Amino acid sequence: MAARNAIEAEGLTKRYGALTALDGVTFGVARGELFGLIGPDGAGKTTLFRLLTTLINPDGGTASIAGCDIVRDYREIRKRVGYMPGRFSLYPDLSVAENLDFFAALFGVSAEASRDLIAPIYRQIEPFRTRRAGKLSGGMKQKLALCCALIHRPSVLLLDEPTTGVDAVSRSEFWDMLSELKSKGISMLVSTPYMDEARRCDRIALINEAKILGIDTPQGIVSRFDEPIYALSGRDMYGLLLAARRAEGVRECYPFGEAHHLIPDAGFDAAAFARFLAGQGFADAVIRPAEAGIEDVFIKLMHHEQ
Amino acid sequence: MNNDPIISVRELSKRFGSFVAVDRITFDVARGEIFGFLGANGAGKTTAMRMLCGLSYPTSGSGTVAGFDVMRQGEQIKRRIGYMSQRFSLYDDLTVLENIRLYGGIYGLTRREILRRAVTLLDRLQFRREADTLVGSLPLGWKQKLAFSVATLHRPEVVFLDEPTGGVDPVTRRQFWELIYEAAAEGTTVFVTTHYMDEAEYCSRVSIMVDGQVRALGAPAELKRQFAAGSMDEVFRTLARGAKRTE
């Protein structure tokens, strides 16, 4: 039977001694989907990638890629999957072109076979084709690693934190490349600790402490925040934060960049709150209704788990 | 309180052979400010920060950090600042308390003073029960909060934070910014780099480096007005897209 999904995981669990790195993780990535795995360091993202790439075996649950089981069909999976690990894993002493040739030889393909996939990315590093990979900038290393991961025309691409430590512009360009690969029918699972990258995905899973907190479209995740939220700002932001937490009807108030986010309890009265703040010396405070973001949802779901 | 800027640099440059890593940067940082130091990869942030921390001497220009000359008083500067990086700050195979004692000793605090400050620090972070835990076994978020507290153990006038919140969860990230707010409210100047553009919004002022030069400097609200942008992310992209060099 042809698998409907590019990736299927059911109750996937991995333990290291007393530590449960992945705890009953279930999700599916549809064919041609760009699926984001979003969570902090230590959430279990890399363990999930190592399981899916057949580098380690699970202690519980099952998973398949393109219909192939990750334990039984590991040989087949390695042909069908492209993997870009979080740590730079190319040969630093080989040149750009040599790395590419090496990976092509490893998979028994010619670099020509995947030219259409790789060309738009390779073009950007081609001027440096004779440079040793170890001497490339971070952004260029990333592009070369992506080319090498695509050399055997995988149907599924697994990318573990490809944008970590990269500046905002390069990150955005990398996501543009992924969108282009998606348009060529490649299914992708991409992990990232940057929550603002969620909107570049078709669907996302929020992951924390070995568990998936929720799976939805970026819009769907945000709409899960089904209670009012306010933005609070003023001249003395720290003083304001402490004062707001002392006020009645405030369940939670936390820093959120230019404004604090405030989650009220039932019966919260914005006018009375403003009077309270004025009485505390914060007459300049501005309070207005706000829209929740992915991070607000993540925070809420984290509290929910605890 | 001393009203002189804690950091004041004029036309500061660093050349490596023919390569100008930092190209005549000029700015002041006021005491108690939270100063965001932004730039694309390869813009020259790290080189600039190394000069401000007394780790390398500028090729030309002038300036002071905590009252000492960046051209020739690197050693004095090092003693008066705190520094924390994302990659390395604490020793994993020492316990929480051992790390505090080690750094307290390096900063030249007396044994009695170290112990006193250790207790305050552990209470503030609610880490008392973890005093004898190996740092390596702490969750990343805890480590980052501890690293910040250790970097400010000797009450430096200015603390340099190099991407302190990379990879931490959103709750911890906010707790970390509260520590920064708290330190600033107590008069410590915070000089911070980050790749999270939303974090630039927490800063009193930010500078954005492109190709070795400071191309924008001001409060986030001012910069957004100046660049007709809705967010610092947009401001950053507008500037960084024109960058000629990568790394």
Side-chain angles (χ1 to χ4, degrees):
Chain A
M1 169 190 107
R4 189 175 55 86
N5 276 340
I7 303 176
E8 288 276 12
E10 185 74 48
L12 216 49
T13 299
K14 180 70 189 177
R15 289 183 209 96
Y16 295 104
L19 177 85
T20 302
L22 217 54
D23 190 2
V25 162
T26 298
F27 71 101
V29 177
R31 286 188 182 186
E33 189 174 31
L34 178 47
F35 191 96
L37 188 66
I38 298 181
D41 291 0
K45 303 192 296 294
T46 298
T47 300
L48 179 58
F49 279 105
R50 294 177 63 80
L51 285 168
L52 293 177
T53 50
T54 75
L55 297 174
I56 52 174
N57 284 333
D59 294 311
T62 58
S64 63
I65 295 185
C68 305
D69 183 88
I70 57 164
V71 178
R72 197 186 54 223
D73 310 320
Y74 70 95
R75 280 175 190 278
E76 189 56 32
I77 284 188
R78 290 175 184 190
K79 287 184 210 153
R80 299 192 184 205
V81 164
Y83 175 40
M84 186 169 154
R87 207 171 289 175
F88 180 67
S89 310
L90 303 179
Y91 290 88
D93 293 337
L94 295 186
S95 71
V96 166
E98 284 167 345
N99 264 291
L100 212 54
D101 289 343
F102 176 77
F103 278 89
L106 211 55
F107 283 102
V109 297
S110 93
E112 281 306 304
S114 54
R115 174 167 287 281
D116 59 311
L117 280 183
I118 290 175
I121 307 158
Y122 190 63
R123 207 173 294 136
Q124 303 171 47
I125 47 174
E126 205 165 10
F128 311 98
R129 62 191 308 282
T130 56
R131 189 178 291 187
R132 285 182 184 194
K135 298 278 179 204
L136 294 174
S137 73
M140 287 196 279
K141 276 181 186 158
Q142 203 189 29
K143 285 169 190 162
L144 177 59
L146 185 56
C147 287
C148 291
L150 286 167
I151 199 88
H152 57 302
R153 290 200 83 87
S155 63
V156 180
L157 197 53
L158 302 172
L159 305 112
D160 192 6
E161 297 206 17
T163 56
T164 290
V166 176
D167 70 62
V169 172
S170 310
R171 285 202 270 138
S172 171
E173 286 172 358
F174 194 81
W175 281 97
D176 291 342
M177 287 187 266
L178 297 188
S179 296
E180 192 165 339
L181 290 173
K182 177 182 142 67
S183 73
K184 289 174 178 152
I186 295 186
S187 317
M188 278 172 278
L189 177 69
V190 191
S191 70
T192 176
Y194 297 101
M195 308 245 159
D196 59 346
E197 294 182 348
R199 64 193 155 81
R200 305 295 302 258
C201 305
D202 297 322
R203 283 191 309 146
I204 53 173
L206 302 182
I207 184 167
N208 194 48
E209 292 184 347
K211 286 183 180 153
I212 286 186
L213 303 176
I215 301 177
D216 213 324
T217 60
Q219 205 46 51
I221 285 277
V222 169
S223 67
R224 289 189 183 193
F225 204 93
D226 53 356
E227 51 189 342
I229 183 164
Y230 292 92
L232 176 66
S233 57
R235 217 170 301 125
D236 171 11
M237 291 295 280
Y238 184 54
L240 195 56
L241 180 69
L242 299 181
R245 286 179 180 162
R246 289 194 301 267
E248 227 166 294
V250 174
R251 188 193 313 160
E252 207 179 350
C253 188
Y254 45 80
F256 212 92
E258 62 180 328
H260 300 319
H261 276 188
L262 184 154
I263 321 289
D265 270 328
F268 174 78
D269 177 351
F273 178 65
R275 278 196 301 278
F276 168 81
L277 288 179
Q280 300 278 313
F282 300 98
D284 67 312
V286 176
I287 177 158
R288 55 183 172 76
E291 271 178 42
I294 299 261
E295 296 209 25
D296 292 299
V297 178
F298 202 101
I299 291 168
K300 185 178 172 173
L301 293 172
M302 273 178 75
H303 289 333
H304 195 71
E305 281 288 314
Q306 278 152 13
Chain B
M1 194 167 101
N2 185 345
N3 281 324
D4 292 343
I6 185 82
I7 298 173
S8 178
V9 294
R10 297 288 174 270
E11 304 268 310
L12 213 59
S13 296
K14 181 79 182 186
R15 284 181 213 100
F16 298 106
S18 63
F19 179 68
V20 187
V22 174
D23 188 8
R24 289 165 296 157
I25 58 171
T26 294
F27 61 87
D28 287 344
V29 178
R31 283 169 197 269
E33 242 189 321
I34 301 173
F35 190 85
F37 197 57
L38 313 181
N41 293 122
K45 286 191 313 273
T46 304
T47 308
M49 203 141 125
R50 287 177 59 82
M51 292 193 283
L52 298 176
C53 292
L55 294 171
S56 95
Y57 286 117
T59 316
S60 62
S62 64
T64 57
V65 172
F68 290 94
D69 188 347
V70 294
M71 300 302 283
R72 49 191 183 81
Q73 293 181 301
E75 283 308 311
Q76 285 93 325
I77 289 174
K78 275 189 239 169
R79 248 170 265 148
R80 276 168 186 81
I81 62 164
Y83 176 80
M84 171 193 165
S85 84
Q86 184 196 348
R87 272 179 220 119
F88 173 80
S89 293
L90 300 170
Y91 290 90
D92 273 349
D93 32 18
L94 295 182
T95 67
V96 169
L97 192 59
E98 285 167 345
N99 266 286
I100 296 173
R101 278 171 39 207
L102 173 69
Y103 279 95
I106 291 171
Y107 293 136
L109 301 178
T110 62
R111 242 177 229 210
R112 182 194 301 249
E113 192 59 25
I114 292 170
L115 195 66
R116 214 173 54 79
R117 293 190 192 189
V119 171
T120 315
L121 185 160
L122 293 173
D123 280 347
R124 181 184 280 195
L125 295 177
Q126 297 173 344
F127 270 16
R128 256 215 145 133
R129 282 193 304 172
E130 279 74 24
D132 297 321
T133 304
L134 287 183
V135 161
S137 64
L138 291 176
L140 174 75
W142 291 43
K143 267 194 222 176
Q144 298 298 84
K145 285 189 274 182
L146 180 63
F148 177 79
S149 301
V150 168
T152 52
L153 189 68
H154 54 308
R155 315 232 168 94
E157 296 171 76
V158 52
V159 61
F160 291 85
L161 310 174
D162 195 2
E163 288 182 44
T165 61
V168 308
D169 68 72
V171 170
T172 308
R173 197 144 80 87
R174 282 170 178 77
Q175 289 169 345
F176 195 89
W177 273 94
E178 276 196 61
L179 287 178
I180 292 180
Y181 275 149
E182 193 180 1
E186 287 168 2
T188 304
T189 308
V190 180
F191 188 97
V192 58
T193 73
T194 176
H195 280 316
Y196 292 94
M197 284 308 124
D198 59 332
E199 289 195 341
E201 313 264 7
Y202 290 82
C203 300
S204 336
R205 285 191 308 143
V206 301
S207 72
I208 300 178
M209 273 186 88
V210 180
D211 293 342
Q213 299 175 338
V214 170
R215 292 279 170 80
L217 176 66
E222 282 167 24
L223 293 182
K224 282 185 274 184
R225 253 196 317 274
Q226 188 186 335
F227 289 86
S231 64
M232 280 308 294
D233 189 49
E234 266 182 73
V235 173
F236 182 82
R237 282 166 195 236
T238 306
L239 283 165
R241 282 217 193 281
K244 298 209 168 44
R245 68 190 202 209
T246 51
E247 254 171 68

